[in-house]
Structure formats: structure tokens, C-alpha cells
Amino acid sequence: MIGPDPYTPRSGDDSFDVVSYDLDLRYRVHTNRLEGTALVNAVATQRTRSVRLDLIGLRASRVRVDGDARTKFTQDAAGLRVTPPQALEVGEEFSIEVRYAGAPRPRRSRWGMIGWEELEDGVLVASQPVGAPTWFPCNDRPDDRARFRIAITTDPEYTVAATGVPHPPVRLGGLTRWEFVSEVPTATYLAAVHIGPYRESALGPVRLMAPAPLVTAARRWFSDVPRILDCFEEAFGPYPQEGCTVVVTADPLEIPLEAQGLVVFGANHFEPDAARLVPHEIAHQWFGNSVGVERWRDIWLNEGFACYAEWLWSEASGGPDIATLADEHHARLQALPQDLVISDPGPALMFDDRVYKRGALTLEALRRRVGADVFADLLHTWVREHRHALASTEAFRDCVARVAGAAAAALLRDWLDTAALPPLPARLPPPAVKRWARPPGSRD
């Protein structure tokens, strides 16, 4: 517990930390009706008379703390205020059971409409950064990670993909029940549910979910994902999630999005200009989903690393090398306003593309300064030390100082803490072998 996040001050409650969420949902696609029971297992971090859960657009009908019917609750547009019969003491374990229902919909935010979203035939969840309360009651803080069990009972013609390891579906009356269990610590914004007329197929270790008319195109478009995973394991360390699922919607999506162990793309992303987004979203399984930010101001640790991973895969697979891509993006950033500090960009600009690209350029500047071997050691150390844990910009500075020395850490000040764009150091020699390049004509 580190207190409310100033970028999202109306989200979350710092008086408790969640240990696990147990969600039992019943959803009818054609009527957009959701009925749910959520069991939130938690620990009090301070003495408190009441706690707050975020819940938006859905109505709670019953709330119990540790099963006690004397529990009181009130609900407003942003969530539930829950008052147990006795005050909670520091370190006390407790459970909140919430029964709720309604027609889920995305919430309006300064970052657009986010959360539970109906498709032409199905639904998806895209919660970053504050959309999770549109489908379950939660403590919606990026630093409050928990285990998840998600059960969804829905119409039998649909397939469900969600955060966690899937159990075999079970017929339940005229419906089908799907269950997913995740034992890795997961932020609320990274928990996801996707429901649609999907066909499941395998690409090596990857589960691919796509509507029947898109299966062939999806298998071709994502055929490199197993190799991307191998490449990133070599560059960053072992794959940190319990599985890897790629979901493809027939609906066009503005952007693809990552969740824990899962990524979702629209069919509109099957085009050359969007190819870089595949390694970007896969890289988030290391950066963002395993190594997670304590505060939203540190979002460059998610997006800068994922953008750098795009360049790494380009070089490794026979495309433009890292240095060339970095030089190109550096020139583009020089032509844009230099009024953003990426170590604290502010909530309005935290998803600005300059945060992404300058974050990646920061890593390339480090690589050029310390050399490829030391930089590789730095990446492995950073990922290993913060596996399924919270990270901050200050922690990254400390890691750089320990692995690469004080001079390398000092370089970060100009890149992270000032608005003016620094020059890139001189290029390193190009790699001798592009070991992940495909032979010509082998993609299909």
C-alpha cells in the first residue's frame, strides 16, 4: 500500500490491500445483462471503520463482510462504501461479498471510453487505466495486485477468453460455464474477459481465438508470435505469465491492448503498418504485466520498454535495426513540442506517443553508453528482480547504477527528468547475425 495515485485520485482505497478476487458472473450477450457475485479477500492496512470498492454502472443488491448480515453499505455513482459491524484493525483479514447486476457499459474518462464494451457479436474488456469497475467491484489501484478466479456463464454459442488458466467448459442447463484461475499477482486494469463466436487453435504454445471466417488470416498474421516469445525470452528472461492467448475481434479496434497473459487485436490490424504492434503487445507480458508500475506517472516503464521491444524484434527478425529506428524517431521527436517530462508526464499526457518513443530512446541511449553486453545484463536484472512485483522510475535508476555504474544512471536525468530532448550517443556496431530472421518466402 502506497496511498492514492494522484493521476487517478478518485480510484481505489488505501486502507486495505486485496489478496484475491473470486468472480462468478452470468452474462447474456443479446440483452447485455450481467449478474455477478464477487468475493473480495483482503487485508486491512490501517484501522478503519469502513472501506470503499469501486463499482460503476452496476447496482449492488447485497453486501456482506465475512458473511455478516449486519454489514451496511451505501452506493453512489463511483462505488460502494462498506461498513462492517466492527472496525477493521491493521493486519486483519476479511472478505467482502457483493451481489450486483445491470447492463455493463464503458465509462467516460479523460482517456476516452474504457471498460466493458459490447461488440457487434460479443464483448471485450479494455480497462486501462480505470475501467475495471465497469464489470466487477474492486480496489482499482495499479499497485494493488491480486490473484483472480473468474467464472463466466453465458450463451452456448459463444467462447470465452479471460485472465487466467482455463478450465474445461461445462454445460449448465442451456448455458455454458467457463472458469479461469490466475495465481500470479494481477492489477485490476489487467484483468480481462472476451466473449465472442471464437474458434480456438494453437500456434505452438499460443492460444489463438478468432471468429471462424478470420482463423486462416489470423494464423498467418500471428504466426511469428512463438518466435517473438523465444526472442524476448533471450533478451529479457523467461516468459513470466501462465499462458499466452491472442484474441482477434471481427470488430475494428482503435488500438490493440494487453491484459495479463492475453492480448486482443481487431481484424483491422492485419496490415503492414500495424505489424509492429504485435511484438509491442507481447512485450507487455514482461513490462507492465509482470514488472508493474507502482504509480501511473511511471507508465514509461511499461510503454517505453514495449516500444523498445518493437525495435529489438525488427532488428532480430531482419528488419531495420535498433539504431536506425532510434535515429528516425529521435528526429521526429525533435520536430514535436518538447514540453513533456516522461518521468512524470501528468495524467492528461501519460498515454502520449512521446512518452512511448522517448522511453524507448532512453533505453537506446543507455545501450549506446554502456554497450550491448552490459545493457543485456541490465534488462535481465531488471526483469528478474521485479518479476510479478511493483517497480518505479527510482527503482530503475538504482538498478542502472548497480549494473552499469553511476555515470549511466546520471545519463537518465536528461532523458527522464527534463523536457528538452537530449542527443543520442554514438551508435554501436550493428549485430553480426540476425538469428530470428525468416528465410525468404517462409512466412506462409
Side-chain angles (χ1 to χ4, degrees):
M1 185 275 295
I2 58 174
D5 192 311
Y7 281 27
T8 56
R10 297 180 181 176
S11 296
D13 182 341
D14 63 353
S15 70
F16 70 99
D17 287 337
V18 177
V19 176
S20 66
Y21 292 95
D22 192 331
L23 308 179
D24 198 335
L25 311 178
R26 182 185 176 98
Y27 181 72
R28 303 307 296 264
V29 173
H30 299 296
T31 59
N32 189 40
R33 174 70 178 179
L34 176 67
E35 299 174 357
T37 299
L39 186 64
V40 183
N41 300 301
V43 178
T45 58
Q46 55 188 263
R47 190 180 192 278
T48 183
R49 191 66 190 83
S50 66
V51 296
R52 181 182 174 280
L53 290 171
D54 300 289
L55 185 65
I56 294 170
L58 300 166
R59 177 59 57 181
S61 58
R62 194 182 89 163
V63 179
R64 299 284 188 268
V65 173
D66 295 331
D68 198 320
R70 295 174 296 165
T71 301
K72 297 179 181 179
F73 75 97
T74 58
Q75 183 168 8
D76 59 24
L80 303 172
R81 173 61 61 180
V82 180
T83 304
Q86 291 85 32
L88 298 168
E89 303 295 336
V90 176
E92 182 176 351
E93 298 178 358
F94 64 99
S95 295
I96 309 174
E97 181 186 61
V98 182
R99 290 186 184 176
Y100 62 103
R105 60 188 183 275
R107 69 179 296 188
R108 189 178 304 278
S109 78
R110 68 193 311 164
W111 307 283
M113 301 297 288
I114 51 177
W116 186 281
E117 182 176 345
E118 291 184 88
L119 302 173
E120 285 296 320
D121 193 15
V123 297
L124 62 75
V125 167
S127 290
Q128 186 174 242
V130 290
T134 63
W135 64 285
F136 70 102
C138 58
N139 195 13
D140 197 22
R141 300 175 358 222
D143 66 304
D144 193 8
R145 295 179 153 207
R147 302 189 305 274
F148 275 82
R149 187 191 73 87
I150 304 172
I152 308 104
T153 301
T154 192
D155 309 279
E157 64 267 33
Y158 293 99
T159 299
V160 178
T163 297
V165 177
H167 290 202
V170 176
R171 293 302 295 266
L172 197 65
L175 303 175
T176 303
R177 177 184 173 87
W178 305 76
E179 185 172 334
F180 303 81
V181 177
S182 176
E183 295 295 335
V184 301
T186 299
T188 47
Y189 83 93
L190 290 170
V193 170
H194 299 277
I195 304 173
Y198 298 128
R199 298 281 184 87
E200 180 177 343
S201 60
L203 291 171
V206 179
R207 296 173 68 235
L208 178 65
M209 316 289 287
L214 295 176
V215 168
T216 299
R219 289 185 61 82
R220 182 180 302 115
W221 187 252
F222 294 103
S223 61
D224 276 342
V225 171
R227 297 169 60 249
I228 293 171
L229 290 169
D230 289 342
C231 176
F232 288 175
E233 283 198 328
E234 182 177 276
F236 310 137
Y239 182 69
Q241 307 302 336
E242 296 166 310
C244 181
T245 300
V246 176
V247 177
V248 180
T249 72
D251 294 51
L253 302 182
E254 182 179 357
I255 57 171
L257 195 68
E258 80 281 2
Q260 200 84 7
L262 186 154
V263 296
V264 60
F265 287 78
N268 57 307
H269 295 124
F270 295 178
E271 58 180 42
D273 287 347
R276 65 175 184 82
L277 299 175
V278 177
H280 181 105
E281 302 305 332
I282 295 298
H284 275 309
Q285 302 307 327
W286 282 265
F287 305 108
N289 301 7
S290 177
V291 182
V293 293
E294 286 185 356
R295 302 279 196 173
W296 286 116
R297 71 185 179 201
D298 296 316
I299 191 67
W300 83 272
L301 291 171
N302 293 3
E303 302 299 350
F305 276 79
C307 182
Y308 182 83
E310 296 176 29
W311 303 351
L312 186 153
W313 173 247
S314 174
E315 176 176 282
S317 61
D321 61 27
I322 295 169
T324 296
L325 291 168
D327 288 345
E328 290 174 356
H329 284 289
H330 189 273
R332 291 172 188 166
L333 285 187
Q334 282 185 316
L336 297 175
Q338 296 181 32
D339 57 359
L340 182 151
V341 174
I342 68 168
S343 63
D344 195 0
L349 295 178
M350 71 179 190
F351 297 118
D352 190 295
D353 191 58
R354 291 173 295 170
V355 173
Y356 294 49
K357 298 304 189 294
R358 184 155 167 175
L361 288 170
T362 300
L363 298 176
E364 173 62 359
L366 269 176
R367 188 178 76 102
R368 294 186 185 190
R369 178 63 58 87
V370 304
D373 291 342
V374 173
F375 184 72
D377 186 27
L378 171 65
L379 290 182
H380 278 265
T381 301
W382 176 245
V383 169
R384 183 180 65 252
E385 290 183 348
H386 294 85
R387 180 182 173 90
H388 293 308
L390 300 174
S392 66
T393 299
E394 292 310 308
F396 184 68
R397 295 182 208 268
D398 176 69
C399 185
V400 171
R402 286 186 287 108
V403 175
L411 172 144
L412 294 175
R413 287 195 294 270
D414 288 341
W415 283 94
L416 299 178
D417 304 327
T418 64
L421 183 67
L424 279 168
R427 286 185 178 215
L428 296 176
V433 178
K434 297 182 178 181
R435 55 174 302 211
W436 300 100
R438 279 182 177 269
S442 66
R443 184 176 182 85
D444 296 334

